[in-house]
Amino acid sequence: MQLCATLTVLGLLVMGSWEQGLMPTIGIDLPPCDSPEAEEVALVAQDFLNAQHTHGYKYVLNQIDKIKIVSRPLQADTYHLELDFLETTCHVLDPTPVALCPVRQKIYTAVEADCDFVLSNTTQGLSVVAFKCKTETEFEDECLGCPQLLPFNDTDGLALIENSLDYFNKNNTHNTKFALLEIGRMGSQIVSGGPKYFAEYAIIGTNCTSQDDDTCTPQNHTVAIHGLCLAAGSTNVDCKIFGPAQAVDPASNTTVRVQQLLHAHTFGPQHNPTIHDLKHHKLTALHDPSSTGLLSAESLESAEIVVAPKVSPIVKREVAPEVPAPAADLTVSDKAPLLIAPICPGKKKHF
Ligand SMILES: *[C@@H]1O[C@H](CO)[C@@H](O)[C@H](O)[C@H]1NC(C)=O
Ligand SMILES: *[C@@H]1O[C@H](CO)[C@@H](O)[C@H](O)[C@H]1NC(C)=O
Ligand SMILES: *[C@@H]1O[C@H](CO)[C@@H](O)[C@H](O)[C@H]1NC(C)=O
Ligand SMILES: *[C@@H]1O[C@H](CO)[C@@H](O)[C@H](O)[C@H]1NC(C)=O
Ligand SMILES: *[C@@H]1O[C@H](CO)[C@@H](O)[C@H](O)[C@H]1NC(C)=O
Ligand SMILES: *[C@@H]1O[C@H](CO)[C@@H](O)[C@H](O)[C@H]1NC(C)=O
């Protein structure tokens, strides 16, 4: 389906180049998906995405599917990208730069996100105008003995979280009692002797020390310490603690903006079902603060039809006439014969 659409658009572009000069007002450029330019824009999108979402895990760029640069006279160029992301094991509050975060492997029910981004290249630099994402897990239901995700309200999973946090609270070197901030994931695995449960959850420091037996209230986010715990048993819990929310990402040398998080609970009265699937965290489905409508299907299509390429050589590069493409270079799907050279999509960085 998607391939069909790509070819149609390309067809229009090629026709456009034949009729060059008719409508020279909108230029379109299709740089290779693995070009440094595409990479630069995609990484800006990645950082924005991770600074934007306030729950769950950081996402890392896996593949650039498409990139298109649209230029109009007297306006900033806009970049339209289709990007694939993979979930890492770093919580969004973890200040570790995403480039250093391990990618969650497929066997642990990796979460993938397909996102469309529109960025604008103004004199101030690149900025995200709008994006939308579709988040999915790869279910491996057929695999006996593989870890399976459980819904966030699973009684045994919740008991594991409660007991392991209790244990950690009595026994941590920070002399602090932590409260549950959100559940990252819960799962079980059938091993000899029955199901074995595991859980990942984020915690936040409270005003109680380990000894206090008082009402404990979470600290203000801006000053609280946070952590991410991995529990595989009520006395088998490992929590990585990180400092207050404000963090500097050395890779991009920008202060990562971390927003108020308490609305992002995965349970309780503040639970927001639109951002949480039953078993994993979803990304923002549509972010378009200035209502550009740039990501709606209709406007994209109508934009394509009026497009006439600014620089025809670039369009020509996209077309590999009749010559069968060398298989070794092809990272694209083998489902259909391809007319386009393997300039897009780009290489998969992970899997
Ligand atoms: C953005 O525009 C500037 C100046 O017009 C240009 O030098 C730069 O390469 C553009 N950025 C990207 C990522 O293409
Ligand atoms: C968990 O939530 C689902 C959907 O809301 C519901 O059908 C199910 O009964 C709940 N399970 C428990 C143990 O609360
Ligand atoms: C704290 O942990 C140590 C070993 O890690 C263990 O021996 C001890 O029983 C724990 N204390 C409590 C109160 O759980
Ligand atoms: C923590 O804050 C709550 C609410 O302000 C208060 O009731 C409680 O006594 C405090 N606990 C400690 C140990 O200070
Ligand atoms: C948390 O701290 C910030 C900055 O110090 C402050 O602006 C905000 O009002 C505080 N929030 C609460 C609930 O105390
Ligand atoms: C990082 O940002 C600071 C403050 O904006 C700036 O002074 C410094 O030169 C930047 N460092 C690099 C390597 O870009």
Side-chain angles (χ1 to χ4, degrees), residues 80-93:
H80 299 248
L81 289 92
E82 255 182 60
L83 303 172
D84 290 348
F85 293 93
L86 295 172
E87 193 189 66
T88 69
T89 59
C90 289
H91 191 264
V92 281
L93 290 176

Side-chain angles (χ1 to χ4, degrees), residues 36-38 40-41 44 69 77 79 120-123 125-126:
E37 184 182 23
E40 181 191 340
V41 182
V44 171
I69 309 169
D77 287 357
Y79 290 76
S120 167
N121 186 15
T122 66
T123 46
L126 287 164

Side-chain angles (χ1 to χ4, degrees), residues 63-83:
Q63 189 174 31
I64 301 174
D65 288 332
K66 280 187 203 165
I67 178 167
K68 183 178 68 182
I69 309 169
V70 179
S71 36
R72 293 181 173 82
L74 309 175
Q75 283 181 33
D77 287 357
T78 54
Y79 290 76
H80 299 248
L81 289 92
E82 255 182 60
L83 303 172

Side-chain angles (χ1 to χ4, degrees), residues 220-222 260:
N220 187 335
H221 255 291
T222 52
Q260 278 294 315

Side-chain angles (χ1 to χ4, degrees), residues 262-274:
L262 285 170
H263 74 276
H265 276 295
T266 41
F267 59 96
Q270 291 160 315
H271 171 61
N272 178 353
T274 61

Side-chain angles (χ1 to χ4, degrees), residues 3 11 17 47 74 78 83 96 120 141 155 180-181 189 212 227 233 264 267 270 280 286 302-303 339 341-342:
L3 185 66
S17 74
D47 288 346
L74 309 175
T78 54
L83 303 172
T96 305
S120 167
D141 284 343
T155 316
L180 181 63
L181 177 65
Q189 187 171 13
D212 286 333
F267 59 96
Q270 291 160 315
H280 64 90
L286 177 64
S302 57
L339 299 171

Side-chain angles (χ1 to χ4, degrees), residues 95-98 100 247-256:
T96 305
V98 66
L100 302 179
V248 170
D249 182 348
S252 64
N253 193 24
T254 53
T255 302
V256 177

